[in-house]
Every structure is written in C-alpha cells, then in structure tokens.
Amino acid sequence: MTHAPHPDNRPDDPASLTQTGRMLRPQTNGCRVAHDLSGVWSFRLDPDDEGRERGWCRGVPEPVPAGVPGSWNEQVPGARDELGPAWYERRFELPPVGDRQVGIRFGSAVYAAEVWLNGERLGEHEGGHLPFMLPCSAALADGENVLVVRVDGRLGRDRVPPGLVPAEHTHGVTFHPDVSFDFFPFAGIHRKVELVATPWLGISGLRLETVLDGAGAALFVQVEAGEGEVTLALDGERITSPHRVERERLWCPQSPRLHLLEVELRRGGTLVDRYTLPVGLRVAGVEGDRLLLNGEPVELRGFGRHEDFPVLGRGTAPAVAARDLLLMRQLGANSFRTAHYPCDEETLDIADRLGLLVIAETPAVGLYFADEDLPRRQELALRFAAELIARDRNRACVIAWSVANEPRMNYPGAAAALGQLCDAARALDGTRPVGYATDLPDSPGVDAADVIFLNAYPGWYKYPARLETAESALGEQLDRIHGQHGKPIVITEFGADAIPGSHADPPALWSEEYQAELIERLIRVAAQRPFVAGTHVWAFADFATAQGTHRPQSINFKGVFTRERQPKLAARRLNILWRNHADR
Ligand code: GCU
C-alpha cells in the first residue's frame, strides 16, 4: 500500500527538496528526520548494460553484498577495472515520517546515477562528489520499500572530469583505464544515503555572511522559508540579523570557535520547523599580494588531499577523515585542498572543528578546450561549481574556491573559459577568493584568478635529482609570476614520489630522503617570499592511480604518509619545520 504523506496528497515541493542551492544538509530533530540507509546493500555489475530492459529497477537479481559508502573497484573481488554500469539495491522499512515531505539524498555517486523506489523512477543525477536529493513521497510504501540505483562510472569526453581524452589534449602520459587525470576513477555510491523527511513549506535555505566592522564583526543571516515567523538564536541567545560579535569570538586556526545557530519557523505560534548549524564567523579575502583571514595576512601550510583509502576506494569514512586531519594538525599544518573534487561533508565538519583552512575544489580536473563536447563540459563545470558553492558556502573552514585543476591552456578559448568559471564562482559567492590550480601560470587564464594556485615540480618532473637547481628554479618562477601579477601565490602542489621504506644516502630519486630534502628546501624558498601565501605539499598520503608505466603498483607515492596513513621521513621533517608556528 502506498504511503499517503499529506492529508490533501500535495505532491513533493521539488524546490525545497531538490534545488541543490536550497538543499539544507539533513538532520534529525523534533521537526525533521534524516534516516541513514548506509550499510550492506545488494550489488551487481552490468557489463552488457542489460539491467534496464530486464527490469532490474524493481530488484537486482543474483546480487552480491556490498558496503555503502564505498567504491566497488577495490571492494568487490575482480571488479577493479569495471567502471559500470552497476546496480545497487537496498530494502528498508519506512521510519515514522508522519505527513512530512520525503526525499532520498545521496552524498555522492560516481559518476551518473539513476534511482527507482518500488519500481517507480525517482530521477537521475550526473556528476560525482556532490549531493543530490530526489523526492519520493508518492512512491513510498508503508512497510518494506525497495530502493534501486544504477550507477555508471564509465569515462567520456562529454563528462567532467573528462576521460578517453585524445593524447594531444592531455599531459601525454598513458593510463589504463584511459583517464587524463592522475587518480583511479573509482565508481560507486561513495557517501551516505539518507531518507530525509522535512516539514512542508519549512526552512529551505540558509545563507550566512560575516563582515568585519570596526573592532568587531557582523553576522548576516538570510533564511528562506515558507510563510510564518522566523526566529534566530546563537549559542542559545535570541539574535536578529545583522548580529554584532567581538573579534575574539571569530573563527581561526588558533581558536576555531563554533557557535550554534538555531533557526525556527512558527505559524500561528506553532513550531513548524527547526534547523541548527554550528557556524564559525570569519572573513577571508585578498589585499594586494596577501591572503587575509579576519583582516590579517595568513599563511597556508598543508597538503593536497585525495579521498582515497584501501578497499574503500573513494568511499568516505569519518574515521579516515578524522585521522588525516588530526595528523595534519599534529604536524603543524593548518590547511588542505580538496584535490581534485569536493570532499565529504563530515570531513569539513572536522576541518571546522580543528581550524583547518580549506581550498575547496570542483571536480573539473584535466579540462581541455577543443572538440564537439566542449560546450557540454563547460556547462557541467559551471554547474558543479554552483553545486559546490551552494553546498559549502556557509563553511568557516572553506576560505577559497578552486574552479579547476590543471586545465590544458594551449587553446584560443581556454583563458575565456577559465575566466567564465572564475566569474561565475565570484557571482555566486563574493565573500571568498577564487582561482584554479595550474601548472601553466604563464597562460593568460590566471588574470581571472584572485589568487594564483601554482602546481610546480622542480626537482621531480623538472630537474630530477638536482636539488639546488630545483631551489633556484622555483625562486625564479615565483618572482616572475609575482612580478607579472602582483597577486598572492599559493603553491598548491610540489614534491616527489618516495616509495615507503626506500632509503638512500646521499638522497636519490624515489627515496624518502630525497622527498624530505626536496620538500624542505622548496618550503624554505617559499618562506623567503612574503607574497607566497601558502605551501601545499603534494600529497598528504599516497593514493591509487590508474595503471601507468610511471606509476609503480598503480600508486602515486608523493604522499608524506603511506596509503595506510603511516608517516614517511618527510612527515617528520615537516613536523620540525612547522611545529613552531603560532597557529598550531
Ligand atoms: C599534477 C596533478 C596531480 C598529480 C600530480 C603528480 O600536478 O595535479 O593530480 O597527481 O601532478 O603527477 O603527482
């Protein structure tokens, strides 16, 4: 029997349920329900893509068990190079949702997902690493429900990030599977899946902005909600917007103060909806060639970090995120970039709590500006930037947006395309600097960036084994870029591969000693230049790549931690370099 959610059977209000921009993160309280469907699902690969015509949308035949969240590639024996499609099924009993509107929210499914409930098609979503929600009130049944998801992780030029890219449009290295990016194209349901029940015409959007104002700051709160009276409270104190706070209540790495914001909606004096959010008040910006936090120059020390772990693949687990970010803090780091795609929301919860400064990056890695699929890729890159900003705009820890990683720039339209991405991000959120990570800083595209995110590999891809040359080359490059643009520069990637346990004295390529020595020397070069607003070592931990003759064991070994999160020599060296920094 179908579930009748609303007395007058009103259809779900897609605006408040699906529009990413207005999709508040699920939570359970007296007015809302977030029922986690993660756990053991049924799973089946569909290499011949026959599932649809065989009606698997009503139930997946002869499945195997699989864990969600989790990629299937390292989890399901023999499925490493399978990119889909594949089918998931989850049966659940309907929790008490009353007459609320109900949707199913996915934190991330890579790459494209199609969803059915009790055989009824709910909808689809394209693009990984960002959440989507599909209304399902009408399809819900009292008692047992059958949720089926078809996930397609196959590569394509018409996707972002693009795959199967002709060699002339890549870095020129060959991978299997045929990706143009240097990480394994894991596929699957990578983050939480939740059944979400919210009041009709309740609170549908929240937008926060902090502005420095004299000795203090002012918090502006914008609430989108159905008709009724909205009230605000901060740490239990009733407030109105704008609300003034003293400087010492602001959020920063030294003291990542979070305040509990409570938003309530009443109609006719009755509480209709409630939403709470831990918020950090802080202001990020650029002034000349400095990156500012709360009006003061800030220096970023940290890493590029992939969401990658054995067996889980790109599946997220709060325990892994907690270890990674606690290790960063232990080393004296205060920052990371979510390379090369938006990271999990629980990771950002931890970053907010630990005072880590995050450069949040869209999934637009390896963009190139040719062929018939270009308009579609650009449209997707714009959409994913909008989805990322909508999801993370209220985050204290997110201090800048990166709208792409290493786009190929030797095309007439490349600079304009990057300009469009940067302008779009600024239009959506004018409170944070915008840029894109580039290995081609001399291309005109960087004119559109507020901060130059530089990926540079002196001592590895350039001048391998020549430490002194690497130092001077980096110094010259930094001075040249600064001379040209006068903008802050964050070195978003530098480093060297080091096979764990490989040692050499004197330091030699692939040894832990060479990696540690190179990283230390380049950090010292950067430290001599006040316009260098940060150094992010590539990478926090070793991570899986596709197969390539330049990737032993299909692993990028540039991590300062192993894939299992054990320290290499470079981690110890960084601790010595960074431990005396004030904002530890
Ligand atoms: C590039 C790229 C990374 C890659 C790194 C490397 O700069 O952005 O994704 O892993 O180089 O080759 O190690």
Side-chain angles (χ1 to χ4, degrees):
M1 183 182 70
T2 60
H3 164 71
H6 196 275
D8 62 5
N9 242 345
R10 179 191 308 173
D12 286 328
D13 164 17
S16 70
L17 272 183
T18 58
Q19 272 166 4
T20 308
R22 305 173 62 192
M23 179 170 55
L24 291 175
R25 194 165 159 211
Q27 61 183 224
T28 294
N29 60 33
C31 303
R32 295 169 167 248
V33 174
H35 178 69
D36 190 350
L37 293 171
S38 307
V40 180
W41 290 44
S42 297
F43 173 81
R44 179 169 174 171
L45 286 169
D46 180 14
D48 307 323
D49 201 0
E50 57 188 5
R52 279 205 191 95
E53 81 223 24
R54 290 180 176 239
W56 293 4
C57 62
R58 281 180 290 283
V60 179
E62 300 158 46
V64 298
V68 167
S71 309
W72 65 67
N73 308 81
E74 283 189 7
Q75 181 185 165
V76 178
R80 184 194 57 208
D81 295 338
E82 300 291 341
L83 300 182
W87 295 73
Y88 287 87
E89 176 194 302
R90 175 76 159 82
R91 292 175 183 256
F92 63 93
E93 289 281 328
L94 184 64
V97 294
D99 69 351
R100 297 179 185 83
Q101 58 184 344
V102 185
I104 300 201
R105 183 188 196 257
F106 294 79
S108 167
V110 174
Y111 171 80
E114 211 174 331
V115 182
W116 293 263
L117 185 62
N118 302 326
E120 196 175 317
R121 190 174 185 282
L122 297 183
E124 61 190 25
H125 181 263
E126 175 173 0
H129 323 287
L130 285 161
F132 60 98
M133 173 129 75
L134 300 168
C136 66
S137 299
L140 274 174
D142 289 331
E144 185 182 67
N145 286 269
V146 182
L147 174 65
V148 170
V149 189
R150 177 184 179 278
V151 177
D152 183 355
R154 287 175 290 187
L155 302 169
R157 294 176 193 169
D158 60 348
R159 295 186 163 188
V160 170
L164 313 179
V165 177
E168 69 269 23
H169 300 306
T170 70
H171 281 83
V173 285
T174 307
F175 280 115
H176 174 74
D178 184 1
V179 289
S180 64
F181 43 84
D182 185 34
F183 50 91
F184 191 88
F186 285 116
I189 299 178
H190 285 162
R191 296 179 190 155
K192 266 190 197 176
V193 182
E194 295 165 287
L195 187 79
V196 181
T198 55
W200 294 98
L201 303 174
I203 300 164
S204 55
L206 204 47
R207 191 173 175 144
L208 310 180
E209 186 174 342
T210 305
V211 177
L212 290 181
D213 141 10
L219 167 66
F220 291 81
V221 182
Q222 248 181 293
V223 179
E224 284 166 41
E227 105 245 355
E229 188 214 354
V230 171
T231 58
L232 303 174
L234 196 67
D235 299 331
E237 179 208 342
R238 193 73 177 265
I239 64 163
T240 54
S241 171
H243 174 67
R244 274 189 56 72
V245 295
E246 294 76 45
R247 278 286 165 125
E248 54 275 5
R249 297 185 70 195
L250 294 182
W251 180 98
C252 62
Q254 296 93 318
S255 47
R257 286 190 192 78
L258 294 176
H259 306 278
L260 184 66
L261 178 68
E262 298 166 81
V263 184
E264 294 193 339
L265 173 68
R266 284 178 176 74
R267 276 196 276 273
T270 310
L271 180 66
V272 173
D273 196 4
R274 173 180 162 74
Y275 195 80
T276 59
L277 188 69
V279 295
L281 314 183
R282 61 100 193 91
V283 178
V286 165
E287 194 174 88
D289 59 9
R290 299 303 155 87
L291 193 57
L292 302 182
L293 186 72
N294 299 335
E296 305 296 327
V298 66
E299 183 213 339
L300 310 184
R301 295 181 312 283
F303 305 94
R305 174 182 179 267
H306 268 293
E307 279 181 339
D308 172 284
F309 199 71
V311 180
L312 289 174
R314 194 103 38 241
T316 54
V320 174
R323 179 167 172 80
D324 289 2
L325 276 56
L326 287 168
L327 284 172
M328 289 184 192
R329 269 327 220 161
Q330 194 185 53
L331 286 192
N334 65 3
S335 177
F336 67 96
R337 175 173 59 124
T338 67
H340 296 299
Y341 36 78
C343 73
D344 181 44
E345 289 156 298
E346 289 179 324
T347 304
L348 296 177
D349 293 342
I350 299 170
D352 274 338
R353 285 176 60 170
L354 294 181
L356 284 158
L357 305 166
V358 177
I359 299 176
E361 186 159 274
T362 73
V365 51
L367 293 179
Y368 64 102
F369 304 95
D371 78 30
E372 65 285 358
D373 294 309
L374 174 56
R376 188 169 197 282
R377 289 196 301 273
Q378 185 71 1
E379 185 260 328
L380 286 171
L382 286 165
R383 189 201 312 166
F384 296 156
E387 291 187 7
L388 168 64
I389 293 171
R391 189 195 76 170
D392 296 342
R393 72 152 44 97
N394 291 332
R395 290 275 181 188
C397 62
V398 175
I399 57 148
W401 306 113
S402 168
V403 294
N405 182 73
E406 298 199 354
R408 308 327 307 145
M409 297 303 289
N410 45 346
Y411 306 85
L418 266 300
Q420 188 190 26
L421 289 172
C422 289
D423 292 346
R426 271 186 289 265
L428 289 163
D429 174 29
T431 72
R432 291 175 178 85
V434 172
Y436 63 93
T438 184
D439 54 336
L440 303 166
D442 301 324
S443 77
V446 289
D447 298 339
D450 303 314
V451 182
I452 295 176
F453 297 143
L454 174 67
N455 293 356
Y457 285 94
W460 188 255
Y461 294 125
K462 283 197 177 141
Y463 323 112
R466 292 150 59 195
L467 291 163
E468 279 77 29
T469 314
E471 286 178 85
S472 49
L474 179 65
E476 279 154 29
Q477 184 182 33
L478 292 170
D479 295 342
R480 191 181 68 251
I481 298 170
H482 183 245
Q484 279 165 359
H485 299 284
K487 295 175 180 177
I489 300 173
V490 174
I491 310 176
T492 36
E493 289 187 28
F494 67 105
D497 284 70
I499 294 181
S502 156
H503 294 288
D505 181 16
L509 294 177
W510 296 97
S511 70
E512 293 192 30
E513 284 77 9
Y514 184 85
Q515 179 194 41
E517 187 61 24
L518 178 67
I519 287 173
E520 175 166 1
R521 289 178 183 228
L522 299 182
I523 285 178
R524 291 192 188 289
V525 168
Q528 293 153 6
R529 293 161 170 83
F531 57 79
V532 175
T535 49
H536 278 182
V537 177
W538 187 258
F540 171 74
D542 296 344
F543 57 92
T545 68
Q547 296 181 60
T549 51
H550 62 303
R551 288 279 172 261
Q553 301 170 22
S554 304
I555 296 279
N556 182 312
F557 284 110
K558 291 193 181 68
V560 302
F561 288 89
T562 64
R563 200 171 180 222
E564 295 70 25
R565 273 56 179 176
Q566 293 308 318
K568 297 181 193 176
L569 190 60
R572 304 187 198 294
R573 192 76 69 88
L574 285 169
N575 191 13
I576 296 164
L577 277 172
W578 287 344
R579 66 178 164 209
N580 298 325
H581 279 273
D583 62 356
R584 274 188 45 71

